[in-house]
Amino acid sequence: MPMAIEYRDNPDLGNEALNALWATAWNTPHPRDFQPILSRNLAHVGAFAGTRLVGFVNVAWDGGIHAFILDTCVDPEFRRRGIASALLERAKTLASERGAEWLHVDFEPHLSGFYRGLGFAPTEAGLIRLHD
């Protein structure tokens, strides 16, 4: 039987837990300091299997009515269990409760069905990479 997943709003997350998740979910072995990001966001949600962080979503914002979904990720060992959907549903609720009127998300084309299934409408957007 799969381990129960607990969702926590704005959990106190250290760099160690987030870097461990990033290493498995994004195959990114380069550690980062997440504290500046967490200290400025509108909200974030963590998914936990016991004490282990297995999923995460960040809700950034412009300080006004626009919020932005960033860094949605789930440990590959825990995928296909609805964790990402649950994280995003909670993120939508938190953004609304905290005054956001619009919730934006950028995603790669292969994820369009997933995000449309959660109520996100397609829009035109632009992107430029500033650093390699």
Side-chain angles (χ1 to χ4, degrees):
M1 179 176 201
M3 182 178 279
I5 302 299
E6 178 187 353
Y7 299 90
R8 298 181 201 156
D9 299 343
N10 302 308
D12 185 17
L13 296 173
N15 289 329
E16 185 176 332
L18 283 163
N19 280 309
L21 177 59
W22 251 245
T24 60
W26 299 102
N27 196 23
T28 306
H30 308 292
R32 300 173 38 189
D33 181 6
F34 290 91
Q35 300 319 301
I37 295 165
L38 297 178
S39 70
R40 292 183 195 96
N41 70 9
L42 183 62
H44 59 277
V45 184
F48 294 84
T51 59
R52 180 177 165 196
L53 180 66
V54 298
F56 175 82
V57 67
N58 183 32
V59 185
W61 69 315
D62 69 349
I65 63 171
H66 293 270
F68 308 85
I69 295 294
L70 297 172
D71 301 328
T72 306
C73 61
V74 175
D75 183 309
E77 181 182 335
F78 289 83
R79 290 183 183 161
R80 304 272 184 233
R81 299 185 194 182
I83 294 171
S85 296
L87 287 167
L88 284 160
E89 289 296 344
R90 187 66 198 141
K92 287 170 23 180
T93 299
L94 288 170
S96 177
E97 289 173 354
R98 295 177 183 191
E101 295 179 23
W102 295 96
L103 187 58
H104 305 257
V105 65
D106 292 325
F107 50 83
E108 294 179 8
H110 72 278
L111 295 171
S112 65
F114 171 74
Y115 283 102
R116 285 184 187 178
L118 291 167
F120 289 92
T123 63
E124 293 274 341
L127 178 67
I128 187 171
R129 184 174 185 92
L130 299 174
H131 300 278
D132 288 327

